[in-house]
């Protein structure tokens, strides 16, 4: 897309827009409309799991749609308006914008820099940049969840599989570095979950432990 703005300035502007879009937290916006701040409830996190546990599935679903949607919008917008002839490619603009949107979700300007953990917004970016990776992520996420009941662990391992899929598909450097960065960042934002797992205090999503329930039923 042509523009009269200098390419580097336009790139910086697109990344700022991506961050500001990412800063619109679905659960916090909807919570404000309901008169609650879910950061004061449950685990104290603004993510989807806490929204589900404290506000119900409808609230969590709409919050997730907002968070995924802003990842889609930030990534699409950056690719649509990426300056031609810039040092960075159009695709690289998309990956950077997805990253800035995730950062905005975790440290949102509009909500005192206390947001969620970034997974839903990352999914939104991947829907634009790497859509075939979504079924693979969901497969890993669902398999770990029904086996262990740990949502945080499921998310970390699902995103950690991205570099493997990138290597297996012989992805280019941009996609590979994005996959590695996403895996490390999601592990970082879930560090408290991982620490509780190590300490044996992490909460399980009991309804998801399908294999455990089947095993118990077979024993009885």
């Amino acid at each position: 897309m042509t523009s009269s703005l200098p390419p580097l300035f336009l790139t910086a502007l697109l990344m700022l827009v991506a961050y500001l879009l990412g800063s619109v937290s679905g659960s916090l916006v909807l919570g404000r409309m309901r008169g609650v701040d879910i950061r004061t409830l449950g685990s104290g996190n603004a993510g989807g799991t806490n929204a589900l546990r404290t506000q119900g599935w409808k609230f969590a679903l709409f919050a997730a749609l907002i968070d995924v949607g802003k990842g889609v919008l930030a990534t699409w917008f950056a690719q649509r308006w990426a300056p031609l002839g810039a040092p960075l490619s159009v695709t690289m603009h998309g990956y950077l914008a997805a990253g800035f949107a995730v950062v905005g979700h975790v440290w949102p300007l509009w909500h005192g820099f206390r947001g969620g953990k970034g997974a839903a917004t990352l999914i939104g970016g991947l829907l634009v940049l790497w859509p075939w990776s979504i079924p693979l992520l969901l497969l890993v996420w669902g398999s770990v969840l029904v086996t262990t009941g740990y949502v945080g662990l499921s998310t970390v391992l699902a995103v950690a599989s991205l570099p493997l899929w990138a290597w297996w598909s012989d992805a280019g450097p941009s996609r590979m570095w994005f996959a590695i960065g996403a895996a490390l960042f999601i592990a970082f934002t879930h560090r408290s979950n991982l620490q509780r797992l190590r300490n044996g205090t992490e909460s399980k999503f009991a309804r998801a432990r399908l294999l455990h329930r089947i095993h118990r039923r077979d024993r009885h």
Side-chain angles (χ1 to χ4, degrees):
M1 187 71 185
T2 59
S3 172
S4 59
L5 296 174
L8 289 179
F9 179 81
L10 182 54
T11 295
L13 183 60
L14 290 171
M15 297 309 110
L16 176 61
V17 169
Y19 169 76
L20 295 177
L21 283 171
S23 291
V24 180
S25 173
S27 62
L28 296 179
V29 169
L30 295 178
R32 186 171 297 175
M33 295 170 61
R34 184 177 284 193
V36 298
D37 184 343
I38 70 166
R39 294 173 299 184
T40 64
L41 305 171
S43 67
N45 185 260
T49 303
N50 196 38
L52 178 62
R53 286 171 171 160
T54 62
Q55 302 298 312
W57 71 268
K58 291 182 180 180
F59 181 98
L61 175 61
F62 282 106
L65 289 175
I66 292 173
D67 292 339
V68 171
K70 70 189 183 186
V72 170
L73 183 59
T75 305
W76 176 86
F77 193 80
Q79 290 191 313
R80 177 71 174 82
W81 290 93
L84 298 178
L88 300 177
S89 67
V90 172
T91 302
M92 194 63 194
H93 275 78
Y95 283 118
L96 285 174
F100 273 92
V102 172
V103 169
H105 179 81
V106 177
W107 294 292
L109 176 66
W110 318 122
H111 306 287
F113 301 100
R114 289 180 55 215
K117 298 182 179 179
T121 305
L122 174 64
I123 291 295
L126 289 173
L127 283 171
V128 177
L129 297 162
W130 194 3
W132 71 262
S133 70
I134 302 299
L136 300 172
L137 287 179
L138 293 176
L139 177 62
V140 175
W141 185 84
S143 298
V144 177
L145 185 62
V146 300
T147 304
T148 68
Y150 294 120
V151 178
L153 178 64
S154 303
T155 303
V156 169
L157 292 181
V159 181
S161 71
L162 278 178
L164 176 62
W165 305 132
W167 171 80
W168 181 75
S169 62
D170 198 22
S174 296
R175 178 168 291 177
M176 177 60 78
W177 282 115
F178 179 79
I180 293 172
L184 293 174
F185 190 78
I186 293 300
F188 170 77
T189 61
H190 286 77
R191 63 194 182 279
S192 60
N193 301 80
L194 298 176
Q195 184 61 50
R196 288 193 296 269
L197 273 171
R198 182 181 300 176
N199 297 337
T201 58
E202 175 73 334
S203 298
K204 292 183 178 181
F205 196 68
R207 293 183 180 179
R209 297 184 67 201
L210 177 62
L211 297 184
H212 176 72
R213 296 205 307 273
I214 292 174
H215 178 67
R216 287 186 58 187
R217 186 176 60 190
D218 290 344
R219 289 179 62 185
H220 293 288

